[in-house]
Amino acid sequence: MQSLSHAPTDPAFVQDPYPFYDRLRAAGDLALWRDYGLICATSHRAVHALLRDRRFGREIPAELVMPVPEHLRPFYRIEDNSMLELEAPRHPRLRGLVLRAFTTRRIRDLGPDIAALTHRLIDDFPEGEVDLLPAFCQPIPVIVIARLLGVPDSMAPQLLDWSNAMVAMYQARRTAEIEHAAARAAADFALFLEGYIDRRRATPRNDLLTDLIAAEEAGERLTTDELIATCVLLLNAGHEATVHTMGNSIKTLLETGTAITAANAAPVVEEILRHDPPLHMFTRYAYEDAALFGHRFRRGDKVALLLGAAGRDPHVYAEPQRFDPARAAPAHHAFGGGPHFCVGAPLARLELCVALPILFARLPGLRLSQPPRYGDVYHFHGLEKLMVRR
């Protein structure tokens, strides 16, 4: 197996990681990324296979679990109950209960609300130059999730602050300061949600939180800790991915001159998710010895699935660097796959397909006023600013 190196915080990599992915992929389906000390799946077929192989999973094997540092206990109290980090039997139980509340109809019915919110945000744009990240891309997903949970819009900035602090834990630039900030945010977030859950148990309403509390399967319900972790996951995962995709989408559409309307929004959004996805790395542990793509994994081995590399695989996508909404090709992996396929994918797609056509219809002269730059947030991939003029 070939071994390559490139720091994920290197400024050149932050702005364009795809050339390094090409080098990794040229080394084979699997290659060692020395900076992480991880074997990486880089091809479309390798990522596809590992996402679905039940011999691999998200949950750390019991013998590898390390004691949680005292200062991170509030953060891992939530993480340890998050279905994103669990496997059977807890994962299917939690996922099944969440899907009983987070239904297709509930998501579909949000369309008019998302459209109205989009128009209001555009109405509030200042004259001249505007940064679309805080003015447009960030408010939509956080306000939608807040409303779903029955939380007032006025809480959205606080939810966003908590989410940003917690999600920073997954970034390559993680520091002790980031860890302490994440723990404080987790403790405050959990305290707020615990009170909210108590009030909803006493006074049910027509919102997702009430439905999550009531969701039942084979006599089982979500515990308070599981409810807290689920609400945090819905906000953090949904907000982070959708904000980055929204920003990457607008950048790509403006740079390529691609038109987006309600009629073509779906294929345009899918091509954006392939071409410049919001999450570039997802990891798995081997639960047993397994031979794949010329390598023998041992129980406990950790493997990185490079979603960003899989979407640019030239064996699957002709001219993969070219943005082409009309291309006919296999599905991308931006939302993962297998048992952990993103439960929020339908909501993210709806937000993008509703908001982006409205933005470009309302502001047909929209143009970039400064070159967009990606933030140092790997293994996420999103802009730090998106300055435009009408």
Side-chain angles (χ1 to χ4, degrees):
M1 182 183 299
Q2 292 191 41
S3 169
L4 292 91
S5 179
H6 204 313
T9 55
D10 177 76
F13 178 88
V14 169
Q15 296 311 311
D16 187 5
Y18 298 106
F20 178 63
Y21 293 159
D22 291 341
R23 290 172 53 206
L24 280 172
R25 198 187 313 101
D29 294 288
L30 303 174
L32 179 67
W33 189 347
R34 289 199 301 272
D35 302 80
Y36 276 102
L38 285 176
I39 293 170
C40 296
T42 61
S43 66
H44 186 279
R45 69 170 190 164
V47 168
H48 184 87
L50 282 160
L51 283 169
R52 290 158 176 79
D53 194 323
R54 298 302 181 96
R55 295 173 296 179
F56 294 81
R58 285 287 297 171
E59 193 166 357
I60 303 173
E63 68 273 18
L64 297 181
V65 174
M66 301 293 290
V68 174
E70 188 62 35
H71 72 285
L72 286 177
R73 286 191 180 278
F75 179 83
Y76 282 102
R77 177 197 167 193
I78 293 175
E79 283 286 280
D80 290 347
N81 287 284
S82 172
M83 65 179 172
L84 184 64
E85 307 299 332
L86 298 171
E87 294 296 334
R90 288 192 69 194
H91 174 264
R93 171 184 161 269
L94 290 176
R95 187 180 177 93
L97 288 168
V98 170
L99 289 176
R100 285 178 177 272
F102 204 47
T103 62
T104 301
R105 180 178 178 180
R106 178 183 288 280
I107 294 167
R108 186 183 62 243
D109 289 348
L110 291 170
D113 203 31
I114 295 169
L117 173 60
T118 300
H119 282 292
R120 180 173 67 77
L121 291 171
I122 296 170
D123 290 341
D124 290 342
F125 285 177
E127 291 296 326
E129 197 175 41
V130 59
D131 183 352
L132 287 183
L133 289 187
F136 187 79
C137 302
Q138 291 175 352
I140 290 173
V142 72
I143 289 174
V144 169
I145 288 289
R147 290 177 179 176
L148 265 174
L149 295 174
V151 176
D153 287 6
S154 59
M155 279 295 298
Q158 180 62 77
L159 296 176
L160 186 60
D161 286 347
W162 285 333
S163 175
N164 287 338
M166 293 184 70
V167 168
M169 284 285 284
Y170 307 110
Q171 296 170 11
R173 62 184 181 88
R174 174 172 161 178
T175 62
E177 182 180 357
I178 285 174
E179 290 183 351
H180 285 284
R184 288 193 299 271
D188 292 343
F189 205 166
L191 185 63
F192 165 76
L193 285 171
E194 193 167 359
Y196 230 79
I197 289 165
D198 287 344
R199 289 197 290 276
R200 282 294 178 273
R201 281 186 170 134
T203 311
R205 293 189 181 178
N206 183 27
D207 56 37
L208 178 61
L209 183 54
T210 298
D211 287 352
L212 285 170
I213 291 168
E216 183 176 340
E217 185 172 1
E220 291 198 47
R221 292 189 175 185
L222 295 165
T223 67
T224 297
D225 282 347
E226 289 168 346
L227 282 165
I228 290 171
T230 297
C231 292
V232 170
L233 175 62
L234 290 173
L235 175 68
N236 290 1
H239 156 260
E240 193 74 15
T242 308
V243 170
H244 291 327
T245 306
M246 193 85 72
N248 296 356
S249 298
I250 297 167
K251 168 186 177 291
T252 300
L253 294 171
L254 291 175
E255 288 180 339
T256 61
T258 303
I260 185 169
T261 66
N264 75 347
V268 170
V269 165
E270 294 308 308
E271 174 68 351
I272 288 164
L273 287 162
R274 177 205 68 83
H275 183 260
D276 205 21
L279 175 66
H280 278 209
M281 179 192 287
F282 210 44
T283 55
R284 293 285 192 272
Y285 289 94
Y287 293 145
E288 59 184 80
D289 292 358
L292 283 169
F293 303 105
H295 178 75
R296 176 163 289 280
F297 290 93
R298 303 295 183 185
R299 176 176 166 83
D301 285 351
K302 192 175 184 180
V303 58
L305 283 55
L306 296 187
L307 311 180
R312 298 284 186 105
D313 187 340
H315 293 101
V316 175
Y317 304 104
E319 297 182 75
Q321 75 285 350
R322 181 169 56 88
F323 179 71
D324 179 12
R327 72 169 67 241
H332 58 76
H333 294 113
F335 290 119
H340 284 280
F341 183 79
C342 177
V343 297
L347 176 58
R349 284 178 164 126
L350 180 66
E351 289 171 343
L352 294 160
C353 288
V354 170
L356 291 173
I358 292 174
L359 175 69
F360 282 88
R362 289 280 308 269
L363 303 176
L366 196 67
R367 64 192 189 279
L368 294 169
S369 59
Q370 296 179 25
R373 289 187 58 80
Y374 290 94
D376 183 8
V377 294
Y378 196 82
H379 45 85
F380 298 105
H381 185 65
L383 300 170
E384 59 184 11
K385 284 198 304 184
L386 182 56
M387 305 303 299
V388 300
R389 289 186 182 276
R390 296 170 179 258

